[in-house]
Amino acid sequence: GAVVSQHPSRVICKSGTSVKIECRSLDFQATTMFWYRQFPKQSLMLMATSNEGSKATYEQGVEKDKFLINHASLTLSTLTVTSAHPEDSSFYICSATGRLAKNIQYFGAGTRLSVL
Amino acid sequence: KQEVTQIPAALSVPEGENLVLNCSFTDSAIYNLQWFRQDPGKGLTSLLLIQSSQREQTSGRLNASLDKSSGRSTLYIAASQPGDSATYLCARMGGRRALTFGSGTRLQVQP
């Protein structure tokens, strides 16, 4: 099956620093990538959708200037949490769909962000 | 607003029992309905995907059904095992092909 690699798996950082999370599709071209967030004991919530070569579409309540998403190639999307604060501590997970199977999302393993 | 609801929120059963997890969604215009498993602190494992044109899917001891008209899906787990203990999430794929997740059912299977 298709593989999506997400890195890093765990990040601990100080308040005010920026953190970049990478999401790569290893064996297919990801025309669309999704970024989800999961707070403790809650379900996954969609943050944004990004299509290769175009600006990301953010969900209501998600600050686009704080969560910068770049999808510059068909195999890589990045999420940068700028000036992270403790309330940004969460589990971030990406998924990707390809041209041939648009109705199937392949998930990365997730990144646990802890902001001190 | 598209919503996905899962009942029960938590379930504890003795090993060997058959069990049913429920999922309901408010918007029947879906591409598919998926069931995932999530272990504590981990990512998602896809279990079953039911396309909108299908009624059910089976994989081993798992069977998932989909009734679009009533906005319901069920996940049936036969002969439960301690290794089945996890949180089970259902998710609907809508028009933008993004997934809307339910809040999950935390399953504990006691040996």
Side-chain angles (χ1 to χ4, degrees):
Chain A
V3 177
V4 173
S5 173
Q6 188 172 340
H7 179 79
S9 59
R10 183 88 161 93
V11 180
I12 301 173
C13 69
K14 293 182 178 180
S15 184
T17 59
S18 293
V19 175
K20 179 184 283 188
I21 303 170
E22 292 188 349
C23 182
R24 293 180 183 273
S25 57
L26 298 184
D27 52 1
F28 69 103
Q29 293 183 330
T31 51
T32 304
M33 285 190 170
F34 302 88
W35 288 93
Y36 297 86
R37 177 169 59 183
Q38 185 180 35
F39 290 110
K41 298 192 184 302
Q42 295 186 27
S43 192
L44 283 81
M45 298 294 291
L46 178 67
M47 297 177 66
T49 303
S50 73
N51 294 299
E52 185 266 339
S54 61
K55 291 184 179 180
T57 302
Y58 290 80
E59 295 299 297
Q60 192 173 7
V62 178
E63 300 174 56
K64 63 179 181 180
D65 293 331
K66 182 171 185 62
F67 299 98
L68 302 179
I69 292 173
N70 184 285
H71 190 171
S73 77
L74 281 171
T75 59
L76 175 64
S77 176
T78 60
L79 167 67
T80 301
V81 184
T82 62
S83 187
H85 288 97
E87 57 265 31
D88 299 323
S89 298
S90 186
F91 186 66
Y92 294 86
I93 191 166
C94 69
S95 69
T97 60
R99 286 197 179 94
L100 298 180
K102 294 181 180 180
N103 290 351
I104 298 176
Q105 288 187 23
Y106 301 96
F107 281 84
T111 297
R112 186 159 302 283
L113 172 62
S114 299
V115 185
L116 305 178
Chain B
K1 179 183 176 183
Q2 303 159 359
E3 290 188 352
V4 179
T5 304
Q6 289 188 246
I7 295 173
L11 183 62
S12 181
V13 300
E15 182 177 4
E17 274 205 5
N18 303 323
L19 54 100
V20 175
L21 308 182
N22 296 291
C23 174
S24 61
F25 45 94
T26 55
D27 186 351
S28 61
I30 64 172
Y31 281 102
N32 59 52
L33 190 292
Q34 298 184 49
W35 284 92
F36 295 88
R37 168 184 173 140
Q38 186 176 31
D39 292 285
K42 303 292 185 181
L44 302 179
T45 300
S46 179
L47 298 174
L48 291 165
L49 182 154
I50 312 175
Q51 300 289 0
S52 62
S53 59
Q54 298 174 325
R55 295 298 298 269
E56 67 176 346
Q57 283 288 327
T58 298
S59 175
R61 294 183 292 109
L62 305 180
N63 175 276
S65 67
L66 174 63
D67 184 343
K68 277 180 49 179
S69 62
S70 65
R72 295 179 187 276
S73 176
T74 61
L75 178 66
Y76 175 82
I77 303 176
S80 58
Q81 303 172 357
D84 295 331
S85 299
T87 295
Y88 290 81
L89 299 167
C90 72
R92 64 176 289 282
M93 177 176 282
R96 292 182 296 135
R97 292 192 169 84
L99 292 173
T100 302
F101 286 84
S103 53
T105 294
R106 290 191 313 280
L107 173 65
Q108 181 71 38
V109 181
Q110 301 162 352

